[in-house]
Amino acid sequence: MIRKKHRPLPVAQAVQTAANAYPFAALSRYVPLQSGENRLYAALREAVPIIDAAIGKIIRLIGTFAVECENRDVQDALNEFLRNVPVNSTHAGVQSFLNGYLSQLLTYGNAVGEIVVGNGGIVALYNASLDDVELRAVSPLKLEVYRRENGGSKPVSYPELVFCSALNPEPGSAKGVSLLRGLPFVSGILLQIYNTIGINWERLGNVRFAVTYKPAGDTADRAFARERAQQIAGEWSRAMRKDSVSDFIAVGDVSIKAIGADNQILDSEVPVREMLEQIVAKLGLPPFLLGFSWSSTERMSSQQADILTSELQAYRRELNPIIHKICRLWLRLNGYDPEFEIKWDNITLQDQVETANARYMNAKAAQIEAALKTEGKEE
């Protein structure tokens, strides 16, 4: 009896949203408005370190989460999958995927991700580049993801495995609003100030000298003025050589002045701080987290930390649908009940001692109120 050979199942389904291998695909997928904005926001993060640092801190402050299920064995298996699932080509764990997803969402206003399946299960998670996909609002309640290819865009074959998010989109639009919108103008002024400071220090910091020779009034001195000027220039060049120290000797009326010594570099502290205040206000981070000592009181810093906590919770709500979709698909593919709950870690920006004192004072107040109510009933 001859048995039929079974073909091995593919390890993983091809990533739908990956870049096309066609070498000149960029020419066919160029979209002036969207692509230009994306390049602009990427350049902002590269040119202004405080913007890149702020987005990185927001991503780290989001924290981690765990999944709780009714069945403890299912819960342990799901959390193990979330910790070890491959992400892109070099990372592992759903947290790495969410970090890249949130970074893309904050920077560009949109983010696209994909679940890669194979052999009846989830084998990887993939962060798609916005240059390789196109988002279309086909109806007020439906958004479709298209993959850009040579000659046009085509819808992905398995849209249920692709998910996307938009940050504060305008009504009727699939395009989200970047966290950096409004910063190009302010950042341009800041970079212009920094560039001017560099140029001024290059001019005034690297001291240059003006050597002036004034010939005397007699005819002989004027006749040889050119030769004496050349001699003075040679002596000055020898005196200014880096490899040796020597004196400068000249005869006649010779004056030496430093070029630009009388000029003063403009004070940039006030305009730079004004621009940085605008940037920090847009990013939503307290200044002390970025190394600025602008908050003069502890109470002000405490209030800023409370505001940041609400901002982080809002970003968590943006990530919750993505986590739900990944976990539900894993549970269904493994034959489990797709019911679970996401438990995020507590955001602790306040001092633990102050938090403990606040809890103690609240408990003490509740005890006093209970004692007063008991005395009132006895009377």
Side-chain angles (χ1 to χ4, degrees), residues 308-322:
L308 177 60
T309 301
S310 64
E311 293 282 345
L312 298 176
Q313 291 173 348
Y315 293 140
R316 285 180 173 183
R317 289 192 294 269
E318 294 286 344
L319 297 177
N320 280 337
I322 310 304

Side-chain angles (χ1 to χ4, degrees), residues 14 19 50 95 119 131 141 172 183 188 195 206 243 246-247 259 273 275 298 319 336 354 379:
I50 188 175
Q95 197 65 45
N119 294 339
D131 292 335
L141 300 177
L183 294 184
N195 183 53
N206 186 8
D243 56 351
S246 62
D247 297 328
I259 299 177
R273 174 166 175 171
M275 298 301 106
E298 294 183 1
L319 297 177
Y336 299 126
E354 294 182 1
E379 293 177 357

Side-chain angles (χ1 to χ4, degrees), residues 10-50:
V11 177
Q13 178 183 332
V15 179
Q16 309 171 72
T17 53
N20 197 328
Y22 178 69
F24 303 104
L27 298 176
S28 61
R29 65 170 182 254
Y30 176 70
V31 180
L33 181 59
Q34 183 176 0
S35 301
E37 286 188 358
N38 290 347
R39 288 195 298 269
L40 175 62
Y41 295 141
L44 276 180
R45 290 190 60 172
E46 182 179 358
V48 185
I50 188 175

